[in-house]
C-alpha cells in the first residue's frame, strides 16, 4: 500500500523545505496520508505527543506513546471502525510520527 510523508518533515515530497518555512503557511501540516486517512500535527498543540487522524467520516486523536508504550486513542468523533484503522496506521508509523512531533515541538 502506498503512502506519502509530507509537509512537516524533510522527505522527497517536501523537497527539503524546513518546518520553519511551512510553519507560517499551515497551522496543521499533513504528516502522512494512507488508505483514505490524513494524519496531522498542529503547530500550536500541547503534550502529550499526539496526532489527529481524519478521513471523510471521522476524526481520531491518538497519543503517540513512546518506545516503551504503544499509541492509544484519546478521543473519537466518528465511527469506531475508523478509530481501529487509524490506531493501526499510527502504530505502524509510530517512530516516524514521533520524529515529526519532535521536529515540530521538541522532545515530547
Amino acid at each position: 500500500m502506498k503512502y506519502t510523508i509530507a509537509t512537516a518533515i524533510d522527505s522527497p515530497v517536501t523537497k527539503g523545505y524546513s518546518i520553519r518555512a511551512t510553519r507560517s503557511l499551515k497551522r496543521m501540516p499533513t504528516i502522512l496520508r494512507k488508505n483514505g486517512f490524513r494524519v496531522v500535527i498542529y503547530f500550536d498543540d500541547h503534550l502529550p505527543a499526539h496526532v489527529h487522524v481524519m478521513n471523510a467520516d471521522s476524526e481520531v486523536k491518538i497519543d503517540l506513546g513512546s518506545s516503551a508504550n504503544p499509541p492509544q486513542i484519546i478521543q473519537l468523533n466518528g465511527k469506531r471502525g475508523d478509530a481501529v484503522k487509524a490506531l493501526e496506521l499510527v502504530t505502524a508509523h509510530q517512530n516516524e510520527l514521533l520524529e515529526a512531533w519532535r521536529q515540530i515541538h521538541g522532545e515530547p
Side-chain angles (χ1 to χ4, degrees):
M1 294 180 189
K2 185 178 177 184
Y3 69 92
T4 58
I5 298 173
T7 306
I9 58 178
D10 190 17
S11 73
V13 176
T14 62
K15 296 179 179 36
Y17 293 112
S18 70
I19 291 170
R20 286 179 199 236
T22 56
R23 183 178 298 261
S24 62
L25 299 175
K26 285 192 168 185
R27 302 294 303 179
M28 53 178 235
T30 297
I31 306 302
L32 174 71
R33 287 182 191 269
K34 187 173 184 179
N35 299 334
F37 287 97
R38 182 168 69 111
V39 181
V40 302
I41 297 174
Y42 293 96
F43 282 123
D44 57 353
D45 226 333
H46 54 81
L47 290 173
H50 65 278
V51 293
H52 300 262
V53 184
M54 302 167 212
N55 70 5
D57 299 316
S58 302
E59 180 174 352
V60 186
K61 185 175 173 182
I62 299 176
D63 182 331
L64 289 173
S66 65
S67 58
N69 298 309
Q72 297 180 13
I73 295 171
I74 299 171
Q75 184 178 9
L76 166 62
N77 295 316
K79 299 178 180 178
R80 187 176 188 281
D82 288 342
V84 171
K85 291 176 186 175
L87 183 59
E88 290 171 352
L89 176 64
V90 170
T91 300
H93 296 280
Q94 180 184 23
N95 292 334
E96 298 138 278
L97 296 171
L98 279 167
E99 180 57 30
W101 178 276
R102 286 184 197 104
Q103 287 184 27
I104 293 170
H105 295 289
E107 290 295 320

